[in-house]
Amino acid sequence: MFAKETLEYTALPLPDRADLSDAQMQAEVDAFHARMRTRHSVRDYTARPVPRAVIETCIRTAGSAPSGANHQPWHFVAISDPDMKARIRTEAEEEERRFYEGGGGDEWIKALEPIGTSADKPHLTTAPWLIVVFAQRWGQFEDGTRYKNYYVPESVNIATGFLLAALHHAGLCTLTHTPNPMKFLAPALGRPASEKPTMIIAVGHPAPDATVPAVAKKKKPLDQISTFVE
């Protein structure tokens, strides 16, 4: 993406400019808030296919996120292949069993009880798509030499948020899954040593009998998640 000889600053006029009234701003953000309040982490999926083009557009949206020095230190591996999904499920469940058998610690496991999770992860094979998010710890110039990436966790987290919002906007359900450790994912998916897996996102349509934990509907009110200094 980058060449050493073209690292220079060039200013462009702002290409996309919104000019909304205060009332229009409020209406837009109210609509977005209402839409995002209908997003739920779903563990029960149907086998209904999701077109690859939809996934591609959602990933393009994620790729538009801001990043440190615009290095865009992320890579998204979208998987629909049943064999690969089965392999990921097998290896993820092995890690999860170690976690639930004591590796996670009593406090962490206790905290998960209201969520109703266990070492069994059928969503990893039932959901039509898995998207594995990788963080790129360093990049390479066209001649193969390395360059440092900056604010990698922050950049990847923002892009992942864009991705989840885009998938929800497409009418799809998601579940973020972070088996610990996740070292098996890079070799399984042929990713280079510069990349570290951060998350598996299951993507698809909810099963007719899908449920969510009651506790998941309890969100902190505004006064507990924000402070205004005016």
Side-chain angles (χ1 to χ4, degrees), residues 183-223:
K183 296 178 181 179
F184 66 90
L185 286 167
L189 297 171
R191 300 312 303 162
S194 60
E195 295 183 2
K196 177 183 179 181
T198 64
M199 186 176 297
I200 304 170
I201 303 173
V203 181
H205 297 280
D209 58 350
T211 62
V212 298
V215 70
K217 294 295 293 178
K218 297 179 180 179
K219 303 299 183 184
K220 293 180 179 179
L222 182 64
D223 62 358

Side-chain angles (χ1 to χ4, degrees), residues 42-201:
V42 172
R43 290 171 171 79
D44 308 299
Y45 293 87
T46 70
R48 176 184 167 187
V50 173
R52 171 174 165 164
V54 173
I55 302 299
E56 288 178 349
T57 301
C58 291
I59 292 176
R60 286 194 188 97
T61 301
S64 71
S67 61
N70 193 38
H71 282 195
Q72 302 159 51
W74 45 63
H75 191 88
F76 303 92
V77 180
I79 305 154
S80 63
D81 177 71
D83 291 338
M84 180 56 71
K85 290 194 297 177
R87 176 178 175 182
I88 289 174
R89 177 181 176 181
T90 296
E91 300 207 39
E93 287 183 337
E94 288 180 5
E95 301 292 355
E96 292 291 328
R97 278 192 289 273
R98 283 191 281 269
F99 173 87
Y100 282 97
E101 288 170 0
D106 292 342
E107 184 177 0
W108 192 353
I109 294 172
K110 183 71 174 176
L112 289 172
E113 286 183 5
I115 307 298
T117 57
S118 71
D120 296 325
K121 306 297 177 184
H123 58 271
L124 293 176
T125 47
T126 306
W129 289 93
L130 302 179
I131 301 176
V132 182
V133 182
F134 285 88
Q136 295 180 337
R137 291 171 285 194
W138 67 84
Q140 289 185 314
F141 289 107
E142 291 177 343
D143 63 5
T145 58
R146 292 185 184 182
Y147 59 81
K148 182 179 179 181
N149 285 330
Y150 301 93
Y151 298 104
V152 174
E154 296 87 347
S155 300
V156 175
N157 289 344
I158 295 169
T160 302
F162 273 40
L163 177 60
L164 292 171
L167 291 165
H168 180 64
H169 195 72
L172 297 168
C173 290
T174 57
L175 180 67
T176 55
H177 178 50
T178 52
N180 185 24
M182 291 188 280
K183 296 178 181 179
F184 66 90
L185 286 167
L189 297 171
R191 300 312 303 162
S194 60
E195 295 183 2
K196 177 183 179 181
T198 64
M199 186 176 297
I200 304 170
I201 303 173

